[in-house]
Amino acid sequence: MGFDAEGRLLAIDVTQLARCGWSLDLSLAVADRAMLHADNAYLIPHMRITSHRLKTNTQSATAFRGFGGPQGMIGMERIVEQVARHLGKDPVEVRRLNFYAPPGAAKSGAGSGHRFGGAHSPQSPEPDNATPYGMEVTDFILHEMTEDLLRSSDFAARREAIQAWNASNPILKKGLAYAPVKFGISFTLTHLNQAGALVHIYRDGSVMLNHGGTEMGQGLHRKVTQVAATAFGVPLTRVRITATDTARVPNTSATAASSGADLNGMATKAACDTIRDRMAGHLAGLHQTTSDRVEFGDGMVSVGGERMTWDAAVESCYLGRVSLTSTGFYATPDLEWDRIRGKGRPFFYFSYGCAVTEVAIDTLTGENRILRVDILHDCGNSLNPALDIGQIEGGYVQGAGWLTTEELVWDDKGRLRTHAPSTYKIPAVSDRPAVFNVRLWDQPNRVSTIYNSKAVGEPPLMLGISAFLALQDACAACGPNWPDLHAPATPERVLAAVHEARGA
């Protein structure tokens, strides 16, 4: 990496080695996405990203939440942290200095030297605010989000208090760190960005819905139910979802890439809008008015100022032989990705987030705790704030677990020895921070998604990187040397980093 005296990142050559196991499985797509997120939130004028997928004598590696994003981002965050420490500058300010430009303020001339896997065409220069793969970032909002979070978390005052604590406490040390997230939303395999839905309205006014997404506890069914209820202006209790079934909605894509609500919500809205337009046309004709004067809401239908119940409107349409069933289909627009060249627009938009984490370590044992977390995350116009906050909290804890306790150990024959909860330590409820502040960034998505919301499945996991950086900050407080803390930051590795900081 090359950087100037202010901390501006000028050139980076990244090589990623992916251990794939004895078969390819999903490693190709995961490693690709790790490349696509190697820049995280930073505009690097000259960047080459190379990825090697390694066949190893271990079990196959497959997909997990984040799907390459965590691997790509943690590398970049370590780079930024190391540059800041080398220059003796505040890591937060170095991060902000290197952010992509906000909308309407692209950095002139940047990006023309971007590389992705070595591919580059001098005849077609990249846009000013472009990623290494040539996609222009037009919705970057981390400047204002960062300012908001640093203020609400009282970052500056806490930083001073922690420095004072560390100066007077030789055994217990504290660390504080900030980390941003920019995560692309869409399948990088473009044809998977499609979804279908089937909607029926029955004569009793009930609505039956089927869509192509899989409910696995993330609240997808609830969000899609809300979409249908909003479209018809009826209570949620009038809408029921039947189990996902390819006999009803065929050729479904995986519920992955954080796109379940985006894709299936839009398909459901398309089906509901078709039925609603038919109903509006029929009711307008009966009342000698126009369809634009038919309104649905609060379980009622208003036709030219006259109100009737939803049930009465449905019955009228049934008697008038209006079809009360429809399919809906949605294909994400404006996607273009040439995987071989490493160029195009693989994502419809980006989700953003940032976190501040405070930790404490025991310098005698390496034992550590997350004391407080402050998160500000971008969900656009949230479809369901309660569900989204739950996803953010769970994602953070999961990400922190990945970087602290979840250690993989193989023996010399390639057998995984940490293969059960007794040896592979996932975070428990007791590992959550005592103070856990999560807020949603209340601004609509700039592109046309379902009610201008944003995906929230995978992006929050990478907020856990701030826990790792905070542990590194605490280790650095133990001595004059910058410790090379490795992930996962188990107590053994924290203790080794403490000794390294002291010069041992």
Side-chain angles (χ1 to χ4, degrees), residues 130-215:
T131 64
Y133 45 90
M135 177 176 171
E136 189 169 9
V137 179
T138 60
D139 60 355
F140 194 84
I141 54 176
L142 274 172
H143 291 278
E144 53 265 50
M145 288 183 68
T146 299
E147 186 67 30
D148 188 310
L149 180 65
L150 295 179
R151 181 175 58 253
S152 66
S153 65
D154 202 16
F155 186 89
R158 288 168 60 199
R159 164 62 74 192
E160 292 182 2
I162 286 173
Q163 290 173 346
W165 167 279
N166 289 337
S168 59
N169 287 272
I171 305 300
L172 297 180
K173 299 291 186 180
K174 292 183 179 180
L176 186 70
Y178 158 91
V181 168
K182 174 180 73 69
F183 191 84
I185 304 298
S186 286
F187 287 97
T188 52
L189 198 58
T190 304
H191 72 261
L192 293 178
N193 295 288
Q194 58 176 302
L198 174 66
V199 176
H200 302 314
I201 299 179
Y202 291 94
R203 193 175 175 182
D204 66 354
S206 64
V207 180
M208 191 280 285
L209 164 63
N210 193 271
H211 62 85
T214 299
E215 175 61 60

Side-chain angles (χ1 to χ4, degrees), residues 217-302:
Q218 81 278 37
L220 175 61
H221 279 355
R222 170 59 58 151
K223 286 187 174 182
V224 177
T225 298
Q226 291 177 228
V227 170
T230 301
F232 292 127
V234 297
L236 285 171
T237 53
R238 303 304 296 270
V239 183
R240 60 189 176 92
I241 286 186
T242 56
T244 302
D245 185 347
T246 52
R248 293 186 173 93
V249 178
N251 305 321
T252 59
S253 295
T255 304
S258 303
S259 61
D262 280 8
L263 294 175
N264 296 287
M266 289 294 272
T268 296
K269 186 175 185 298
C272 293
D273 287 349
T274 298
I275 299 174
R276 191 183 62 191
D277 289 346
R278 292 177 192 155
M279 294 179 67
H282 168 76
L283 296 171
L286 289 180
H287 290 76
Q288 297 181 341
T289 186
T290 56
S291 296
D292 60 348
R293 299 197 64 200
V294 181
E295 298 178 354
F296 297 77
D298 299 322
M300 304 291 289
V301 181
S302 174

Side-chain angles (χ1 to χ4, degrees), residues 394-426:
Y396 174 88
V397 171
Q398 204 167 41
W402 162 61
L403 288 170
T404 56
T405 63
E406 299 180 32
E407 186 177 25
L408 292 169
V409 178
W410 290 270
D411 64 18
D412 57 2
K413 296 185 182 297
R415 292 176 296 195
L416 183 66
R417 289 306 189 184
T418 51
H419 65 282
S422 59
T423 52
Y424 184 80
K425 179 63 177 71
I426 62 173

Side-chain angles (χ1 to χ4, degrees), residues 243-454:
T244 302
D245 185 347
T246 52
R248 293 186 173 93
V249 178
N251 305 321
T252 59
S253 295
T255 304
S258 303
S259 61
D262 280 8
L263 294 175
N264 296 287
M266 289 294 272
T268 296
K269 186 175 185 298
C272 293
D273 287 349
T274 298
I275 299 174
R276 191 183 62 191
D277 289 346
R278 292 177 192 155
M279 294 179 67
H282 168 76
L283 296 171
L286 289 180
H287 290 76
Q288 297 181 341
T289 186
T290 56
S291 296
D292 60 348
R293 299 197 64 200
V294 181
E295 298 178 354
F296 297 77
D298 299 322
M300 304 291 289
V301 181
S302 174
V303 186
E306 298 182 34
R307 290 169 62 82
M308 68 176 72
T309 65
W310 164 257
D311 290 355
V314 170
E315 179 70 7
S316 175
C317 290
Y318 168 74
L319 295 176
R321 298 186 296 176
V322 175
S323 173
L324 296 174
T325 185
S326 179
T327 60
F329 180 78
Y330 175 74
T332 309
D334 303 327
L335 298 179
E336 180 185 358
W337 176 237
D338 186 330
R339 183 181 169 274
I340 302 301
R341 293 181 59 245
K343 296 293 178 183
R345 180 180 175 173
F347 307 122
F348 190 33
Y349 62 90
F350 294 100
S351 281
Y352 299 94
C354 45
V356 169
T357 298
E358 181 179 343
V359 301
I361 65 171
D362 185 329
T363 60
L364 300 180
T365 65
E367 183 184 6
N368 55 83
R369 292 284 184 271
I370 298 176
L371 304 178
R372 174 177 168 178
V373 176
D374 294 85
I375 291 173
L376 181 59
H377 195 76
D378 167 35
C379 296
N381 278 339
S382 173
L383 293 176
N384 189 310
L387 286 175
D388 288 347
I389 288 174
Q391 286 287 293
I392 294 164
E393 291 172 342
Y396 174 88
V397 171
Q398 204 167 41
W402 162 61
L403 288 170
T404 56
T405 63
E406 299 180 32
E407 186 177 25
L408 292 169
V409 178
W410 290 270
D411 64 18
D412 57 2
K413 296 185 182 297
R415 292 176 296 195
L416 183 66
R417 289 306 189 184
T418 51
H419 65 282
S422 59
T423 52
Y424 184 80
K425 179 63 177 71
I426 62 173
V429 66
S430 57
D431 294 309
R432 78 192 190 282
V435 179
F436 205 168
N437 301 319
V438 177
R439 291 188 296 123
L440 301 183
W441 179 253
D442 189 20
Q443 295 292 332
N445 196 341
R446 292 173 180 267
V447 299
S448 182
T449 54
I450 185 66
Y451 297 120
N452 293 103
S453 62
K454 282 193 177 185

Side-chain angles (χ1 to χ4, degrees), residues 3 23 30 87:
F3 51 94
S23 73
V30 171
L87 296 173

